[in-house]
Amino acid sequence: MNGTLNKVMLIGHLGDDVKMHYFDGGNCIGRFSLATNEVYINKTTNEKITSTEWHNLVVRNKAAEICEKYLSKGDKIYVEGRIKSRQWQTDDGTIKYTTEIQVTEFTFLSTKKDTENNKQNPSTESTKNTNFDPNNNDLPINDLPF
């Protein structure tokens, strides 16, 4: 072990549907934003304040395809991953920066599709648990329950 750790755990709601990008050779990535909220009381005004933080998430290959198929804007998800910063240069020479969460594991906590299914069939199981080996995002660690 090198004495450092880069690990992120988040629970939040998707800010948009998963956007897919496909590469030559069959690989793909999915990108989506995740909102996490912090709620606190302003001690001076007793006002309830909600602060939202937005995170840019990236999932790869089979994990990306599963997220695209089952997740949509507003769904709640738990993710684990690592922070990755990158930069690039635009056509006009401007340097741009972004910080992303490279997702290694995720668990669907609630989806709109689950809510719709539960309205039609209240006995339907609504939690999906999908864990991926962080060293190979194509190989599920356990069987998918859907």
Side-chain angles (χ1 to χ4, degrees):
M1 177 144 178
N2 64 10
T4 67
L5 176 67
N6 181 352
K7 183 168 185 157
V8 176
M9 297 182 293
L10 300 169
I11 295 175
H13 294 272
L14 272 70
D16 203 354
D17 292 343
V18 178
K19 305 288 190 243
M20 297 294 290
H21 183 79
Y22 295 90
F23 301 99
D24 292 340
N27 290 329
C28 63
I29 61 171
R31 296 180 183 277
F32 58 94
S33 60
L34 188 78
T36 56
N37 296 320
E38 177 184 3
V39 179
Y40 61 94
I41 302 295
N42 180 319
K43 292 183 180 181
T44 306
T45 64
N46 276 342
E47 180 183 4
K48 181 177 169 182
I49 307 291
T50 301
S51 173
T52 302
E53 187 73 31
W54 288 95
H55 312 275
N56 298 314
L57 276 61
V58 177
V59 288
R60 298 188 181 283
N61 300 321
K62 186 67 174 174
E65 292 169 350
I66 290 169
C67 286
E68 179 192 33
K69 183 175 181 179
Y70 292 101
L71 292 175
S72 57
K73 182 178 180 177
D75 291 345
K76 190 173 186 180
I77 187 172
Y78 166 82
V79 298
E80 289 185 21
R82 57 188 163 272
I83 297 173
K84 178 79 174 175
S85 299
R86 61 183 177 88
Q87 71 179 39
W88 70 96
Q89 188 171 5
T90 62
D91 292 338
D92 68 1
T94 304
I95 302 293
K96 299 278 189 168
Y97 299 90
T98 190
T99 300
E100 300 170 327
I101 307 301
Q102 302 285 326
V103 176
T104 56
E105 295 185 38
F106 57 88
T107 301
F108 299 166
L109 299 178
S110 67
T111 65
K112 288 181 184 175
K113 293 174 182 128
D114 287 335
T115 304
E116 291 167 7
N117 288 340
N118 285 340
K119 286 179 186 172
Q120 296 168 3
N121 181 1
S123 65
T124 302
E125 177 63 38
S126 65
T127 301
K128 292 177 176 60
N129 183 359
T130 308
N131 293 315
F132 281 82
D133 179 344
N135 298 316
N136 183 347
N137 288 337
D138 287 338
L139 299 175
I141 293 173
N142 53 4
D143 291 333
L144 300 178
F146 48 84

